[in-house]
């Protein structure tokens, strides 16, 4: 994908003749109506034709404000040279109607990045982290900010409809890419802090530059610690989160296997590094809520009770996405071999909200609500036991304002 630009002026030359102006305005209206049926890639191609079409494309793209996603699942990945997410994104991106400004993708670590590599072994493998990551990054616009992580398991809503049944994929090749367009009044920023033994504390300007401090419009932070199996990694994650956790914002995330992509970084990623990465969401129309499913939530009845708490936040479902960050120790084995319990409960209470997330190695979050009236409940101050958990699930909602 490329940004709108270039092209000649054959259809859009200026004229003082009011009849010409009338004809052109009516022509533009017809062209725009036709263009609303075209995906973004096709729009960028026709924008090169002339100035009139280019302006029509810009107006059409400004109306496409809904978050879009591409998801992939593969039953038999062993013989294929590419991860299923790379293949499906390459195919489906041709049909996407938005121009993505920010992309968050998640993929299973066993197939995207060889599991032995996560554990520090040096076995030969068909593909490496960077090969799959580079292939994905090349598919998106150059100006697009891409953040990609890999985790033991994936939670994904199949592509096609917001009401599709979300799937908890504990084992198997899977992944998704969330595509965020430019939304007026909302800023979505990636952030990244690398653990440095020589610098034990973060400087204030580092947090301010990425909108985590001195930002009155900050509403939601998705935060992920990677390579947390290494010495000192968990403590570093806690230090980073503690710097902004006492603010009136939604916090949700967990500990993942590794960071695969971050195109906002100029230097290549170090697969052996330890750090914290995530996305911040700012804007007065952003709303969010999280609930914690603790160890006592272990059957359908108690899961439903947790979903009712999330429903009580009254977050609008239009232009809203759901996240589920669960411990690898939960899933079907936690619910007596019954699969998809938590994802199904979410769908029952939020039938038109797509759900995404992962099974990881530790969860971050608590019961919190941030709405348009900025109501906050629980976790007013940093407390390790309130925010960092194991054998739990964090369910989150992020509303990105009206799509109109």
């Amino acid at each position: 994908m490329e940004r709108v630009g270039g092209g000649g002026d054959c259809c859009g030359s200026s004229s003082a003749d009011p009849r010409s102006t009338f004809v052109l305005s009516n022509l533009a209206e017809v062209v725009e109506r036709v263009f609303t049926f075209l995906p973004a890639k096709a729009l960028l191609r026709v924008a090169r034709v002339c100035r009139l079409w280019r302006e029509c494309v810009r107006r059409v793209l400004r109306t496409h404000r809904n978050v879009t996603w591409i998801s992939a699942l593969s039953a038999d990945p062993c013989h294929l040279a590419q991860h299923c997410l790379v293949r499906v994104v390459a195919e489906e991106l041709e049909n996407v109607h938005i121009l993505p400004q920010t992309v968050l993708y998640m993929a299973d670590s066993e197939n995207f990045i060889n599991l032995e590599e996560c554990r520090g072994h040096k076995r030969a493998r068909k593909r490496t982290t960077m090969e799959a990551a580079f292939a994905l990054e090349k598919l998106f616009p150059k100006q697009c900010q891409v953040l990609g992580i890999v985790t033991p398991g994936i939670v994904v809503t199949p592509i096609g409809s917001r009401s599709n049944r979300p799937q908890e994929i504990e084992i198997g090749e899977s992944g998704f890419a969330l595509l965020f367009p430019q939304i007026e009044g909302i800023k979505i920023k990636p952030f990244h802090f690398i653990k440095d033994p020589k610098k034990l504390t973060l400087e204030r300007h580092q947090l301010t530059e990425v909108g985590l401090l001195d930002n009155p419009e900050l509403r939601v932070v998705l935060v992920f610690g990677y390579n947390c199996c290494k010495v000192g990694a968990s403590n570093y994650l806690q230090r980073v989160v503690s710097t902004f956790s006492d603010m009136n914002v939604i916090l949700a995330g967990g500990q993942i296997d590794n960071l695969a992509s971050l195109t906002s970084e100029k230097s290549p990623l170090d697969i052996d590094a330890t750090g914290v990465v995530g996305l911040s969401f700012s804007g007065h129309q952003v709303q969010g809520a999280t609930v914690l499913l603790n160890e006592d939530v272990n059957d359908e009845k108690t899961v439903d009770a947790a979903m009712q708490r999330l429903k009580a936040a009254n977050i609008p479902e239009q232009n809203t996405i759901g996240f589920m960050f669960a411990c690898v120790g939960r899933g079907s084995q936690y619910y007596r071999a019954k699969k998809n319990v938590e994802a199904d409960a979410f769908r029952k209470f939020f039938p038109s909200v797509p759900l995404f997330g992962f099974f990881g190695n530790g969860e971050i979050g608590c019961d919190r609500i941030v709405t348009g009236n900025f109501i906050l409940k629980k976790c007013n101050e940093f407390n390790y036991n309130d925010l960092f958990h194991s054998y739990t699930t964090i369910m989150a909602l992020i509303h990105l304002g009206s799509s109109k």
Side-chain angles (χ1 to χ4, degrees):
M1 284 189 179
E2 298 176 6
R3 292 288 181 182
V4 177
D9 293 343
C10 58
C11 297
S13 57
S14 60
S15 173
D17 187 348
R19 289 174 298 180
S20 299
T21 303
F22 176 77
V23 170
L24 283 174
S25 65
N26 281 275
L27 177 60
E29 184 179 348
V30 173
V31 170
E32 281 185 41
R33 288 183 180 180
V34 173
F35 283 0
T36 57
F37 297 97
L38 297 180
K41 275 197 170 183
L43 287 175
L44 296 181
R45 286 193 285 267
V46 300
R48 301 169 183 170
V49 173
C50 64
R51 190 174 68 185
L52 173 66
W53 284 26
R54 186 164 68 248
E55 293 302 318
C56 290
V57 166
R58 284 176 174 156
R59 286 193 290 270
V60 169
L61 287 174
R62 280 199 294 267
T63 66
H64 294 170
R65 299 305 190 196
N66 285 321
V67 178
T68 302
W69 77 94
I70 298 172
S71 54
L73 302 90
S74 178
D76 184 21
C78 300
H79 67 285
L80 298 172
Q82 281 187 319
H83 190 276
C84 64
L85 183 60
V86 179
R87 299 195 308 274
V88 175
V89 168
E91 296 168 2
E92 294 295 334
L93 204 56
E94 293 287 339
N95 304 316
V96 168
H97 281 70
I98 67 163
L99 187 63
Q101 185 181 56
T102 305
V103 172
L104 171 63
Y105 77 79
M106 300 185 189
D108 72 290
S109 53
E110 186 170 6
N111 295 286
F112 195 92
I113 164 178
N114 190 279
L115 187 61
E116 284 73 27
E117 184 181 51
C118 290
R119 304 296 178 238
H121 300 295
K122 300 297 182 181
R123 293 185 184 177
R125 53 191 183 279
K126 290 184 179 179
R127 53 180 178 262
T128 67
T129 305
M130 294 306 150
E131 289 170 356
F134 288 159
L136 267 179
E137 292 167 12
K138 288 178 180 178
L139 297 173
F140 298 109
K142 293 180 180 178
Q143 299 90 341
C144 183
Q145 301 180 108
V146 181
L147 168 59
I149 61 177
V150 291
T151 68
I154 296 295
V155 179
V156 60
T157 297
I159 195 170
S161 171
R162 297 175 67 87
S163 59
N164 282 342
R165 183 193 182 199
Q167 302 290 315
E168 299 178 14
I169 312 297
E170 299 176 61
I171 299 175
E173 187 169 310
S174 57
F176 64 84
L178 280 172
L179 314 180
F180 297 92
Q182 184 176 354
I183 304 174
E184 186 176 354
I186 294 179
K187 291 183 179 180
I188 304 174
K189 281 190 174 184
F191 60 86
H192 185 208
F193 306 110
I194 302 175
K195 182 177 178 290
D196 185 349
K198 298 179 181 179
K199 294 182 180 179
L200 298 179
T201 59
L202 288 172
E203 296 182 15
R204 187 178 183 87
H205 74 86
Q206 293 177 274
L207 296 159
T208 303
E209 288 171 359
V210 293
L212 296 177
L213 282 183
D214 302 326
N215 179 9
E217 291 202 339
L218 180 63
R219 295 294 186 268
V220 178
V221 179
L222 298 180
V223 58
F224 314 111
Y226 63 91
N227 268 340
C228 286
C229 56
K230 296 195 174 183
V231 176
S234 293
N235 289 335
Y236 182 72
L237 172 62
Q238 294 161 26
R239 286 205 307 273
V240 172
V241 172
S242 68
T243 59
F244 54 84
S245 62
D246 61 344
M247 297 184 296
N248 295 337
V249 298
I250 291 295
L251 284 175
Q255 299 185 22
I256 59 174
D257 280 339
N258 222 313
L259 172 63
S261 290
L262 189 60
T263 55
S264 59
E265 295 279 293
K266 295 181 180 179
S267 56
L269 298 179
D270 181 0
I271 195 170
D272 295 317
T274 295
V276 179
V277 70
L279 289 177
S280 65
F281 296 78
S282 302
H284 69 274
Q285 67 264 52
V286 177
Q287 299 183 38
T290 50
V291 294
L292 170 67
L293 283 64
N294 61 25
E295 293 179 68
D296 295 331
V297 178
N298 55 14
D299 57 29
E300 291 174 280
K301 183 177 179 180
T302 50
V303 173
D304 282 355
M307 293 303 106
Q308 286 175 340
R309 297 204 311 274
L310 191 60
K311 188 74 173 180
N314 291 320
I315 303 295
E317 293 192 22
Q318 183 184 18
N319 211 24
T320 295
I321 49 179
F323 286 98
M324 171 180 164
F325 304 122
C327 177
V328 290
R330 291 181 75 91
S332 59
Q333 61 180 334
Y334 204 76
Y335 291 98
R336 302 171 185 84
K338 190 165 186 178
K339 297 181 178 180
N340 230 62
V341 172
E342 295 176 351
D344 283 344
F346 180 91
R347 182 170 180 259
K348 180 166 63 175
F349 285 87
F350 304 96
S352 61
V353 178
L355 182 67
F356 306 93
F358 59 69
F359 288 91
N361 304 302
E363 303 78 59
I364 302 170
C366 63
D367 278 31
R368 250 182 187 181
I369 300 172
V370 176
T371 68
N373 296 323
F374 213 66
I375 302 170
L376 182 67
K377 296 187 178 179
K378 200 175 179 182
C379 290
N380 279 326
E381 296 180 357
F382 175 72
N383 185 305
Y384 175 86
N385 293 324
D386 280 342
L387 285 176
F388 293 89
H389 314 277
S390 58
Y391 294 102
T392 65
T393 297
I394 301 296
M395 288 287 191
L397 293 173
I398 302 178
H399 173 66
L400 298 174
S402 172
S403 59
K404 294 182 180 180

